[in-house]
């Protein structure tokens, strides 16, 4: 079976984990600190501007919390996973759902600008960066769960808005051992507050905090993965280019520099094609199905249209060239 997505893990990760286990110190410590600072360096932020957390969702919650989101309006796309809604609910804020731009998985920036929301969560979905540089009247939280390494102009996604969040879930662009997340911001005062919130234990001031910590075991994997990220991204780009050169109709960004988290094709009958490919031992997914939209489909024409006309093909560093050709050939048969 060709998987739709899978992490790329090997001896280096095993070695790093063994070292942490042998040290006997496995909770949040020096590995976490190094991972945070290495991510800062990758993004072009000064040291101590990142806080490692237990997941992308907890990082989203922290971003909302630190921006005082309680009772405020939060604009976000209707075409997205439920993590955003969960974080907004946890922060006791009010969601304002917005359609995506035509033929793009990303939120419609025109509608967003007109929304009068206090805060916006803007995901760069499929690795396609949104140009949010001219949004000035809304605090933007960049959701970079799918866009680590993507650029808007010469800036990495995550450092353009007020705050950025990353996910290191197993099948993201890199993983910190299955789960993990990161909060980043240019604004050190926000970073310091998030860091303080994470240090929940033995605090005399009795303020509410929460255990959203990442362990050194996880961070040691994250550090090894981050070192390999440029190679991972290069291989993903190669695979995407191969699909393109074979003639597939892929969704891509016309400007800005993407990372190839997803290879999504336009197709008329995705459910049927998905079933046919599965019979040939190839797993694909509809990136967001109609039932997954955060509100009733007909109200959001562009989002609904994407749920009916897109299919996500396997793309990950360990995918072999022969598998790509097989996927292409089987796809051609399935579409006919
Ligand atoms: C766009 C987006 N935002 C947020 C998340 C949540 O990340 P996590 O699964 O690490 O909580 C995900 C991943 O599922 C995602 O794809």
């Amino acid at each position: 079976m060709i998987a739709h997505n899978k992490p790329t893990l090997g001896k280096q990760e095993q070695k790093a984990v063994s070292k942490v286990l042998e040290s006997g110190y496995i909770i949040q410590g020096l590995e976490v600190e190094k991972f945070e600072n290495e991510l800062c360096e990758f993004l072009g932020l000064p040291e101590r501007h990142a806080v490692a957390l237990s997941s992308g969702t907890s990082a989203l919650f922290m971003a909302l919390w630190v921006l005082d989101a309680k009772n405020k309006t939060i604009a976000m796309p209707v075409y997205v996973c439920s993590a955003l809604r969960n974080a907004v609910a946890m922060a006791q804020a009010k969601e304002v759902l917005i359609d995506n731009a035509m033929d793009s998985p990303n939120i419609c920036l025109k509608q967003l600008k007109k929304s009068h929301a206090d805060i916006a969560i803007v995901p760069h979905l499929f690795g396609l960066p949104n140009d949010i540089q001219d949004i000035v009247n809304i605090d933007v939280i960049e959701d970079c769960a799918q866009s680590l390494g993507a650029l808007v102009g010469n800036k990495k996604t995550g450092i353009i808005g007020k705050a950025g969040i990353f996910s290191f879930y197993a099948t993201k662009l890199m993983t910190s051992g299955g789960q993990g997340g990161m909060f980043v911001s240019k604004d050190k005062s926000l970073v310091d507050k998030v860091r303080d919130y994470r240090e929940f234990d033995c605090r005399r001031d009795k303020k509410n905090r929460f255990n959203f910590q990442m362990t050194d075991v996880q961070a040691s994997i994250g550090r090894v993965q981050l070192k390999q990220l440029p190679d991972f991204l290069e291989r993903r780009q190669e695979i995407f280019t191969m699909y393109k050169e074979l003639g597939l109709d892929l969704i891509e960004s016309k400007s800005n520099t993407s990372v190839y988290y997803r290879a999504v094709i336009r197709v008329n009958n995705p459910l049927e094609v998905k079933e046919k490919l599965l019979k040939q031992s190839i797993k694909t997914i509809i990136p967001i199905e109609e039932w997954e939209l955060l509100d009733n489909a007909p109200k959001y024409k562009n989002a609904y249209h994407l749920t009916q006309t897109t299919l996500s093909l396997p793309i990950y560093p360990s995918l072999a060239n022969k598998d790509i050709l097989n996927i292409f050939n089987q796809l051609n048969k399935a579409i006919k």
Side-chain angles (χ1 to χ4, degrees):
M1 180 68 75
I2 299 177
H4 171 254
N5 206 346
K6 64 176 172 192
T8 310
L9 298 164
K11 289 260 177 326
Q12 293 185 68
E13 284 81 0
Q14 280 180 19
K15 233 170 109 181
V17 168
S18 296
K19 217 170 135 191
V20 174
L21 295 180
E22 279 159 19
S23 79
Y25 190 95
I26 55 174
I27 57 166
Q28 177 189 287
L30 212 57
E31 286 292 319
V32 168
E33 199 181 315
K34 285 182 182 166
F35 184 30
E36 291 171 343
N37 286 332
E38 284 160 6
L39 191 82
C40 286
E41 195 186 341
F42 177 81
L43 296 175
L45 283 171
E47 281 197 350
R48 307 280 297 160
H49 277 249
V51 184
L53 297 158
S54 54
S55 68
T57 312
S58 53
L60 266 177
F61 168 73
M62 286 281 37
L64 290 164
W65 173 84
V66 82
L67 294 175
D68 289 323
K70 190 173 174 180
N71 298 325
K72 289 187 183 166
T73 49
I74 318 296
M76 60 194 215
V78 72
Y79 184 87
V80 81
C81 65
S82 59
L84 277 72
R85 162 165 286 163
N86 295 338
V88 169
M90 280 272 287
Q92 299 177 58
K94 292 176 244 168
E95 65 181 33
V96 176
L97 297 172
I98 291 179
D99 203 355
N100 35 303
M102 200 155 69
D103 199 33
S104 159
N106 282 333
I107 193 166
C108 173
L109 293 176
K110 253 193 198 159
Q111 282 186 44
L112 172 60
K113 283 177 197 160
K114 283 195 259 166
S115 71
H116 301 294
D118 300 307
I119 298 170
I121 304 175
V122 180
H124 304 287
L125 284 184
F126 303 173
L128 307 173
N130 257 306
D131 191 348
I132 52 158
Q133 293 185 102
D134 63 342
I135 299 178
V136 286
N137 56 343
I138 304 174
D139 282 345
V140 174
I141 300 168
E142 285 181 79
D143 179 340
C144 310
Q146 304 186 3
S147 73
L148 177 60
L151 300 171
V152 176
N154 59 1
K155 280 193 189 146
K156 293 246 167 70
T157 56
I159 65 168
I160 304 155
K162 191 89 180 158
I165 73 96
F166 296 87
S167 164
F168 306 121
Y169 175 72
T171 55
K172 290 296 190 273
L173 290 156
M174 55 163 269
T175 184
S176 52
Q179 299 282 358
M182 196 80 79
F183 169 91
V184 304
S185 177
K186 289 171 293 203
D187 183 339
K188 185 71 171 23
S189 70
L190 297 182
V191 182
D192 289 343
K193 280 186 196 157
V194 171
R195 200 183 302 285
D196 176 84
Y197 190 94
R198 184 190 64 178
E199 314 313 340
F200 64 93
D201 205 13
C202 302
R203 303 298 297 263
R204 286 172 182 257
D205 62 18
K206 295 191 168 51
K207 283 187 194 163
N208 284 333
R209 294 183 176 85
F210 210 85
N211 182 0
F212 284 134
Q213 293 184 1
M214 177 185 281
T215 68
D216 265 15
V217 178
Q218 291 175 295
S220 71
I221 299 173
R223 291 184 65 206
V224 171
Q225 292 260 302
L226 185 57
K227 279 204 191 82
Q228 298 172 86
L229 184 67
D231 293 339
F232 289 172
L233 296 182
E234 199 182 314
R235 177 61 187 150
R236 283 175 176 275
Q237 182 161 10
E238 254 173 44
I239 296 168
F240 194 92
T241 305
M242 262 186 91
Y243 279 141
K244 222 176 126 176
E245 286 175 0
L246 286 165
L248 295 183
D249 183 16
L250 291 145
I251 293 187
E252 57 184 326
S253 168
K254 287 172 194 74
S255 53
N256 300 318
T257 313
S258 311
V259 286
Y260 296 90
Y261 178 64
R262 292 242 188 271
V264 176
I265 54 163
R266 299 177 185 89
V267 61
N268 284 331
N269 44 356
L271 269 175
E272 202 183 309
V273 175
K274 183 180 150 196
E275 289 309 312
K276 284 185 182 167
L277 289 174
L278 193 58
K279 285 193 183 131
Q280 301 304 322
S281 303
I282 298 166
K283 276 199 178 164
T284 57
I285 62 162
I286 294 172
I288 304 269
E289 296 201 28
E290 185 183 342
W291 61 266
E292 290 177 277
L293 293 179
L294 299 185
D295 196 3
N296 292 334
K299 263 167 73 183
Y300 304 88
K301 282 199 189 70
N302 295 336
Y304 175 69
H305 184 251
L306 275 193
T307 64
Q308 305 301 305
T309 57
T310 52
L311 190 69
S312 175
L313 305 180
I315 184 165
Y316 41 90
S318 61
L319 188 68
N321 286 356
K322 68 169 179 20
D323 290 336
I324 298 167
L325 288 176
N326 181 24
I327 293 162
F328 174 72
N329 290 331
Q330 295 302 338
L331 187 61
N332 268 345
K333 285 187 204 158
I335 286 171
K336 269 177 200 151

